[in-house]
Amino acid sequence: MNRFALLVFSVAALAVAAGCQKDETTSRDADLAGVNVAVGEKGGSFSKLFVLNEGNFQKNNSTLDFLRFSDGNYVSDAFGSMNPAVVQGLGDTGNDLALNDGKLWLVMNGSGYVHVLDAKDETLVASVAVPDPRFIAFDSGHAYVSSYAGAIYGGEEKKGKVFRIDLKTYKIDGEVEVGCQPEGVAVSGGKLYVANSGGYNYIHEDTVSVIDLSSFKVSGSVTTASNLHFMASDGRGAVYVSSYGESTWSQDDAGNWIQSMSEPMGLYSIDGLSSSQVKGVHVSCMTMCSDGYVYAIGNADELTGGYSNMLYKVSVKDGSVTSKAISGTDAAQVGNPYGICVNPDNGDIYITDADYTGPGKVWCFTKDLKKKWVAVAGMLPAHMVIY
Amino acid sequence: MFPSFLAAFLLFIQAPECHPEHSEGSDTLKAAMVSSIYGCIIVPQRITSGELKSASGLSEAVRRFAGVQLRDYGGVGGLKTVNVRSLGSEHTGVFIDGIQVDNAQNMQVDLGRFSLQGLSSVSLFSGQKVAPLQSAKEYSSASSLYLESADPVFKDGKRDNFFLRATGGSFKTGSPSVVWEHLLRGGSKLRLSAEALSSDGRYRFHVKDFRQYPDGTLAGYDTTMIRSNSDITSSRVEAMLFSPASGVASWNIHAYFYGSGRGLPGPVYKKAGEYPLSEDRQTDRDAFLQGKYYRDLGDVWSVAGRAKLSFSHLEYTDYPELVPGGTPASYNYRNHSAYLSATAMARIGSSLKVNLAQDCQYDYLDSDLRAFAYPGRFSSWSCASVIFGKDSFEASASALYLGVRDSFISGNDRSSASRSAFMPSLVFRWKPAERFTLNGFAKRSFRMPTFNDLYYTTVGTKTLDPEDAIQLDLGAVWNLWSEPSNHLTLKVETYWNQLKNKIIAVPTSNQFRWSMYNLGRVEVLGVDLTAEYSRKSGTVEFGLVGRYTFQRSRDKSDKEALTWNGQIPYIPLHSGSVNLYGEHGGWRLDITAFMTGERFTTSANLPAYRIAPWTTLDAALSKNLTIARNGLTLKLCLNNLLDQQYEIVDNYPMPGFNFLLVATLSF
């Protein structure tokens, strides 16, 4: 009986899901042709995997692609196709992609814009001018965008900022100064956490700025590790932040520049005003998945100059880490892992592969790193969200 | 032979190209001195006299050559470099009167800095140049572009010539220039010239993109923008001293100074309104002093010497727009070099010549970059070549050895590194029939890594190998009609090139750190076709020159990559130019069309990276007048008549229609 009820319920759920998908196919982007890369692909409850290609520096070739789960087609430059009249398209150097309340937020670093798109059909809703924007996070009423705020490499030391954008009006309604060259941002427990990199400074920054969201003022600072970058909220009050570590330059006998890590790339969790290292994790790209894990790819050999990537899975519940060597799996075909995203429904792992001379790729692997499909993306595919 | 050769320049009619009869009959020093491209086995592509005068600038003249891609960042001050047969601009040597223009820092020679004024010809050797008393360095480039200064000519017992020129036109361009030529006692000839240029470089351009949808609808945008921060002011001062027409030796001395300040407008990309695209600035100061000396020692030996000292200072200012009122980041590079060459040639019998040459050069680069390597480079080129010529057959074999020793700061010490390269070449020309010539060459050349490739702080890789270029070429020239009244020449050149160990920037295991590697590989299959027709009847002359290039340049770097076997960036499969001219009663009209087929910005030849083909049409009209024994030449250049919107380099729009008016008074 119970089993029967379950079956009925499942069928009903499937019908609803199918109904949703039908709705989806009536969205305006359903006509966009793509390349069929994933025959028989099922994305669970999701309809699209969005991929933001960073594009090359000052080439104005950042594009937004998506994989449509209903037919397994990979659609390139969906933004350009759906918004042909937008002058110069998305623009230059897409640095972050986020989904919030049915809207896609694209942070265009080179162009100095944050674009807001309807996630259903990629049509442009608003463009907000933000100088040197880097990463974005949300609370119920606002978007928060970190910004280098006019700092230049080789120039004078200059503090960065966080700009606050009203989600109703799409206008900037506040700004606050943080550390130098802020990168990742995350909202947790009424606070905004900002990873300061100090990337342009001779000596990197090592702090996370904490901003009280009710007053929108810096309320504290957490010393964490050098050259902080990605940040994600675990939804349980804590945030995770990655560090690119510290490297020193030296020259070998032939005079070649050798970069060696004096402080490894790492992952840290911050709870309140204290930080602790997640041991044995090296992050060159990471994602927070709603299945309760942080997924990261990194290079465990970096201290010795080696290059063998690992896939790490960190439980936000207990901080336990499982790591898996990428070599020997299908994922070893990924030339240069640049971004990662995980489907919480089926555990599929999407990895973007950056090729610096030509277009990159998006790979899909099962949770055991068996290849499912691969698609040709745009220039430097880097950021993904699943919708 | 010599006076007629000179007269040819004087009258600005088509100068004879280096036909065998010149090299055989009058292999004199004088002829060699008049032109260092004289007596060469391979006939270069050449622009002289009328066509040269009608060109609006050097880069515009050079892009007429078959097999050449001009890289032009647009506007008066935009960098202009030349890439011959897809080997890259670093493989093309630019020579002024047979002495190379150097740039040890990046090996890019900006053609925008040289004036056509005072030049008699511009020649392109797509492969090996072989001429009597050639320096060793002239053997080293994969291809070479020769700028030849005209020898001053004094008519009717005059001792002074003056040329005053005023140029004005689009982009608020204004340029006065003055040349004084003086016949010194003893017969030496002096030319002093000065030129200044100012231009705001602003022009309108279109940014557009239209998409065709499956249902047939077309949607997109077309908006007009203005190129800004593209201003330039520059000045050039030159002094040249030429040896007397009579005497045992020939020599000249050339002093050159160029100074400029310009905006770097940067690429066009989307930028939020209140922030300018780029306010970067660049300041240059280039100076050189060079000389060469030729002398016959009896019937067998001839010798030549060449020397050059040069200095250049380059200053970049980065992102001043981001620090209003503050101190922007700025970088300085100072390049010093000294060059010395000795050449001896022996004539053995009537058909054999042996040319021996030894060149040395020292380069040093100083910069205020953090942890800079302060590289110095000592280079030595040793070359032996044999030139054989009998009846209708000429051939040459040469062997060049290049040894390079760099010294640089590594840590706290000075280290050194050596590189060497052996570059052999074979050249032949055979005239099986009166009007038909076959020519060909095989050549291997190496391009040393530049200082930037090797020593740029944290990016340079000090263990790079030289880039390796192999060229094979076979061509034919057919003079169908060769009377002056009716002239038709057809040329075809076919070639295969392979570029190995191409130096490219690649990210290392740490994706935030890029390094230079010898990873690139390119294979080129090309055909250049040229047809030259001219007809003269009475005072009317007209002609047509058509040049077409097919170049399949495939990326063979990485078999696994999407770029494998793709056409390399910026090289069109098809390109060409047509020049039509007519002359009558002191009037001359030139109409020139340039066509470039589809290109891609990456070797992954996908539609998203395609650059649309383009065609431009230029016209130049000039009139020579004589007013009270003074000459006045008026010239109007109308460039891009069809207002074609196009880009040579992605995101660097080229100007639409523009014009230049030039008035030259000579007395």
Side-chain angles (χ1 to χ4, degrees):
Chain A
M1 188 65 196
N2 253 346
R3 198 170 288 174
F4 181 68
L6 193 66
L7 184 68
V8 168
F9 184 76
S10 309
V11 168
L14 270 176
V16 170
C20 288
Q21 291 210 342
K22 201 157 199 174
D23 252 349
E24 175 55 35
T25 54
T26 57
S27 109
R28 287 174 52 211
D29 69 6
D31 293 336
L32 295 183
V35 178
N36 195 273
V37 296
V39 183
E41 173 74 353
K42 293 282 172 281
S45 60
F46 297 99
S47 62
K48 286 182 274 193
L49 171 74
F50 286 106
V51 179
L52 178 61
N53 299 292
E54 288 189 345
N56 306 105
F57 178 65
Q58 295 192 344
K59 283 283 187 188
N60 208 61
N61 58 359
S62 190
T63 50
L64 179 73
D65 303 343
F66 65 78
L67 180 103
R68 192 191 288 125
F69 288 116
S70 62
D71 60 5
N73 280 6
Y74 189 86
V75 177
S76 294
D77 192 15
F79 178 86
S81 300
M82 296 305 295
N83 305 274
V86 174
V87 175
Q88 293 173 304
L90 276 183
D92 192 70
T93 316
N95 197 68
D96 197 15
L97 174 69
L99 185 67
N100 183 60
D101 193 23
K103 303 276 190 301
L104 271 183
W105 291 69
L106 287 77
V107 180
M108 307 305 299
N109 178 244
S111 292
Y113 275 117
V114 173
H115 299 306
V116 188
L117 273 53
D118 189 327
K120 210 157 75 189
D121 58 10
E122 301 86 39
T123 48
L124 184 65
V125 175
S127 288
V128 189
V130 178
D132 287 342
R134 299 294 296 173
F135 286 89
I136 193 163
F138 306 88
D139 67 6
S140 56
H142 291 95
Y144 301 92
V145 181
S146 59
S147 160
Y148 281 11
I152 51 172
Y153 184 74
E156 290 161 12
E157 190 172 308
K158 198 160 185 242
K159 295 272 191 222
K161 286 178 180 169
V162 170
F163 288 90
R164 189 176 67 181
I165 300 169
D166 189 302
L167 292 182
K168 288 197 190 71
T169 61
Y170 302 120
K171 295 226 167 11
I172 293 176
D173 67 354
E175 60 179 71
V176 60
E177 195 173 88
V178 290
C180 290
Q181 294 84 55
E183 298 286 1
V185 282
V187 171
S188 186
K191 300 259 193 304
L192 178 73
Y193 294 83
V194 184
N196 299 309
S197 74
Y200 289 173
N201 294 356
Y202 207 81
I203 296 162
H204 291 143
E205 294 253 5
D206 62 358
T207 59
V208 169
S209 297
V210 184
I211 295 164
D212 183 76
L213 288 178
S214 52
S215 64
F216 201 47
K217 286 200 166 61
V218 175
S219 63
S221 159
V222 186
T223 302
T224 306
S226 190
N227 201 359
L228 299 170
H229 199 84
F230 294 106
M231 189 163 254
S233 165
D234 70 355
R236 303 156 60 93
V239 295
Y240 282 83
V241 60
S242 77
S243 152
Y244 278 143
E246 208 43 65
S247 60
T248 51
W249 291 97
S250 58
Q251 285 172 290
D252 65 8
D253 293 341
N256 285 307
W257 287 98
I258 304 291
Q259 185 181 25
S260 48
M261 305 300 290
S262 49
E263 225 180 89
M265 289 179 153
L267 182 67
Y268 298 81
S269 73
I270 295 176
D271 208 343
L273 287 176
S274 70
S275 89
S276 59
Q277 186 174 8
V278 182
K279 293 271 188 303
V281 180
H282 308 261
V283 180
S284 69
C285 56
M286 69 177 240
T287 183
M288 173 71 72
C289 184
S290 60
D291 66 1
Y293 290 94
V294 173
Y295 292 83
I297 294 178
N299 183 352
D301 272 359
E302 77 220 20
L303 286 169
T304 53
Y307 183 51
S308 66
N309 276 321
M310 306 285 286
L311 174 72
Y312 305 100
K313 195 175 164 186
V314 182
S315 164
V316 299
K317 243 179 260 165
D318 53 16
S320 65
V321 178
T322 39
S323 52
K324 186 177 172 69
I326 282 182
S327 68
T329 71
D330 288 356
Q333 295 171 77
V334 181
N336 188 0
Y338 202 54
I340 181 169
C341 181
V342 176
N343 186 328
D345 284 6
N346 56 14
D348 281 359
I349 299 167
Y350 311 104
I351 300 175
T352 57
D353 186 0
D355 181 318
Y356 290 85
T357 57
K361 293 172 189 160
V362 179
W363 298 81
C364 175
F365 303 98
T366 64
K367 53 176 169 280
D368 305 316
L369 295 181
K370 289 261 185 309
K371 180 190 156 188
K372 285 182 86 174
W373 50 263
V374 61
V376 175
M379 290 290 178
L380 302 185
H383 309 279
M384 291 174 283
V385 293
I386 190 160
Y387 168 69
Chain B
M1 214 65 220
F2 170 58
S4 73
F5 192 76
L6 208 61
F9 289 140
L10 187 79
L11 296 172
F12 301 135
I13 61 166
Q14 197 79 27
E17 288 180 337
C18 36
H19 291 301
E21 55 264 33
H22 290 108
S23 56
E24 297 292 323
S26 62
D27 191 20
T28 65
L29 282 174
K30 283 296 168 285
M33 190 61 210
V34 167
S35 165
S36 63
I37 62 165
Y38 184 82
C40 41
I41 293 182
I42 292 276
V43 180
Q45 295 189 66
R46 195 155 184 231
I47 291 174
T48 54
S49 57
E51 195 179 357
L52 193 61
K53 295 230 166 268
S54 74
S56 58
L58 177 61
S59 61
E60 197 266 342
V62 165
R63 73 200 260 210
R64 298 177 183 207
F65 291 128
V68 159
Q69 296 305 322
L70 179 78
R71 205 174 162 98
D72 186 344
Y73 287 80
V76 184
L79 177 69
K80 291 158 182 64
T81 60
V82 60
N83 180 359
V84 181
R85 294 185 175 181
S86 301
L87 291 172
S89 53
E90 298 91 347
H91 285 267
T92 306
V94 178
F95 293 79
I96 296 178
D97 295 323
I99 298 178
Q100 193 168 0
V101 180
D102 287 296
N103 182 343
Q105 188 187 349
N106 58 21
M107 289 191 186
Q108 304 279 349
V109 177
D110 184 5
L111 298 181
R113 296 184 189 193
F114 303 102
S115 168
L116 288 176
Q117 194 183 27
L119 293 186
S120 65
S121 72
V122 176
S123 306
L124 178 75
F125 293 84
S126 299
Q128 183 66 68
K129 171 185 180 267
V130 180
L133 285 176
Q134 182 167 307
S135 72
K137 225 180 152 183
E138 291 179 80
Y139 287 92
S140 68
S141 301
S143 54
S144 17
L145 184 72
Y146 274 72
L147 314 182
E148 286 295 317
S149 301
D151 214 14
V153 175
F154 300 91
K155 279 192 286 184
D156 309 328
K158 280 170 74 177
R159 298 195 76 86
D160 293 286
N161 295 327
F162 291 94
F163 302 90
L164 299 177
R165 195 182 69 181
T167 304
S170 302
F171 327 120
K172 293 188 181 151
T173 302
S175 170
S177 98
V178 55
V179 178
W180 173 44
E181 292 174 352
H182 180 63
L183 184 63
L184 295 162
R185 239 171 287 163
S188 304
K189 290 159 283 185
L190 175 72
R191 175 189 291 135
L192 295 175
S193 62
E195 184 178 12
L197 169 78
S198 160
S199 174
D200 79 357
R202 289 165 72 89
Y203 52 87
R204 284 173 193 280
F205 62 94
H206 285 256
V207 178
K208 59 179 176 183
D209 183 18
F210 284 91
R211 289 160 200 256
Q212 177 99 47
Y213 288 86
D215 63 357
T217 53
L218 193 67
Y221 59 87
D222 181 354
T223 185
T224 306
M225 296 185 178
I226 291 178
R227 201 79 174 122
S228 57
N229 191 39
S230 44
D231 60 292
I232 178 169
T233 52
S234 71
S235 56
R236 187 176 53 83
V237 182
E238 286 182 85
M240 291 189 81
L241 191 62
F242 300 83
S243 61
S246 59
V248 289
S250 281
W251 46 264
N252 72 21
I253 297 168
H254 186 177
Y256 172 101
F257 171 82
Y258 174 87
S260 70
R262 71 188 77 195
L264 299 172
V268 172
Y269 60 96
K270 185 168 186 153
K271 191 101 186 182
E274 52 268 46
Y275 308 101
L277 269 179
S278 162
E279 287 185 0
D280 293 0
R281 305 292 302 175
Q282 180 183 333
T283 312
D284 287 280
R285 275 174 216 94
D286 299 340
F288 69 72
L289 176 66
Q290 70 179 38
K292 60 180 182 178
Y293 178 88
Y294 286 63
R295 190 187 168 105
D296 265 336
L297 302 171
D299 292 336
V300 174
W301 288 95
S302 300
V303 292
R306 294 167 177 85
K308 179 177 182 175
L309 280 174
S310 67
F311 169 76
S312 70
H313 175 203
L314 166 68
E315 183 183 3
Y316 283 118
T317 311
D318 266 1
Y319 299 111
E321 71 272 17
L322 293 177
V323 272
T327 316
S330 100
Y331 304 97
N332 286 274
Y333 301 89
R334 289 180 183 81
N335 206 146
H336 307 255
S337 84
Y339 166 71
L340 209 55
S341 160
T343 308
M345 188 185 70
R347 292 174 199 78
I348 301 163
S350 61
S351 55
L352 202 62
K353 284 172 225 149
V354 174
N355 197 79
L356 299 170
Q358 173 62 44
D359 293 15
C360 297
Q361 181 163 327
Y362 182 73
D363 295 287
Y364 177 74
L365 184 66
D366 180 9
S367 169
D368 50 10
L369 279 181
R370 196 190 282 176
F372 194 64
Y374 303 97
R377 170 174 292 181
F378 181 78
S379 314
S380 160
W381 294 260
S382 309
C383 183
S385 68
V386 180
I387 306 170
F388 173 82
K390 198 165 175 64
D391 306 325
S392 60
F393 184 79
E394 276 187 283
S396 168
S398 62
L400 172 70
Y401 180 81
L402 166 60
V404 168
R405 188 171 175 82
D406 286 6
S407 76
F408 50 89
I409 301 278
S410 170
N412 297 320
D413 307 317
R414 229 173 153 82
S415 312
S416 64
S418 295
R419 285 176 185 79
S420 64
F422 175 68
M423 314 186 203
S425 71
L426 276 174
V427 176
F428 83 93
R429 184 171 62 176
W430 179 42
K431 210 170 174 182
E434 177 55 29
R435 290 179 178 170
F436 188 74
T437 310
L438 279 172
N439 57 260
F441 67 86
K443 178 173 184 174
R444 184 168 198 185
S445 58
F446 290 86
R447 168 308 248 188
M448 283 295 157
T450 66
F451 282 168
N452 274 2
D453 294 338
L454 295 163
Y455 307 114
Y456 201 91
T457 306
T458 76
V459 176
T461 302
K462 294 191 173 67
T463 44
L464 290 174
D465 289 324
E467 284 187 8
D468 178 356
I470 294 172
Q471 302 179 80
L472 299 175
D473 171 285
L474 189 64
V477 183
W478 189 15
N479 290 302
L480 276 92
W481 309 318
S482 55
E483 300 84 48
S485 62
N486 202 15
H487 177 94
L488 177 64
T489 304
L490 298 178
K491 289 182 200 166
V492 57
E493 290 284 331
T494 56
Y495 47 91
W496 180 86
N497 297 342
Q498 188 188 56
L499 188 62
K500 285 191 293 187
N501 279 344
K502 188 178 179 180
I503 298 168
I504 51 177
V506 179
T508 59
S509 61
N510 179 333
Q511 53 191 262
F512 303 95
R513 194 215 147 188
W514 289 57
S515 254
M516 309 304 292
Y517 287 97
N518 288 104
L519 284 178
R521 188 180 163 123
V522 179
E523 263 177 35
V524 184
L525 187 68
V527 180
D528 295 348
L529 299 175
T530 307
E532 293 176 5
Y533 172 74
S534 65
R535 194 179 167 85
K536 203 173 184 176
S537 76
T539 57
V540 181
E541 182 181 340
F542 69 92
L544 182 67
V545 184
R547 298 168 176 111
Y548 164 78
T549 299
F550 168 86
Q551 238 173 65
R552 200 191 67 194
S553 309
R554 287 185 161 169
D555 189 323
K556 298 275 185 185
S557 306
D558 181 358
K559 219 166 193 161
E560 303 299 316
L562 290 164
T563 50
W564 172 254
N565 253 346
Q567 181 82 357
I568 63 170
Y570 295 120
I571 304 293
L573 206 56
H574 308 281
S575 60
S577 69
V578 178
N579 172 239
L580 176 71
Y581 69 92
E583 278 184 21
H584 174 62
W587 289 92
R588 180 179 166 111
L589 176 68
D590 272 79
I591 295 174
T592 311
F594 295 103
M595 286 143 288
T596 293
E598 107 180 334
R599 297 171 300 151
F600 292 91
T601 57
T602 133
S603 305
N605 298 162
L606 298 168
Y609 311 106
R610 177 180 181 266
I611 309 177
W614 51 267
T615 301
T616 58
L617 194 62
D618 299 346
L621 181 68
S622 64
K623 168 72 175 158
N624 293 325
L625 298 159
T626 309
I627 303 164
R629 296 184 63 215
N630 299 327
L632 176 67
T633 304
L634 296 170
K635 180 171 81 166
L636 177 66
C637 293
L638 303 171
N639 299 321
N640 198 356
L641 273 172
L642 304 175
D643 200 29
Q644 167 81 267
Q645 298 293 315
Y646 68 111
E647 288 173 354
I648 293 178
V649 181
D650 196 27
N651 293 338
Y652 284 83
M654 297 292 288
F657 169 74
N658 64 91
F659 73 96
L660 270 185
L661 188 62
V662 186
T664 311
L665 183 66
S666 49
F667 56 91

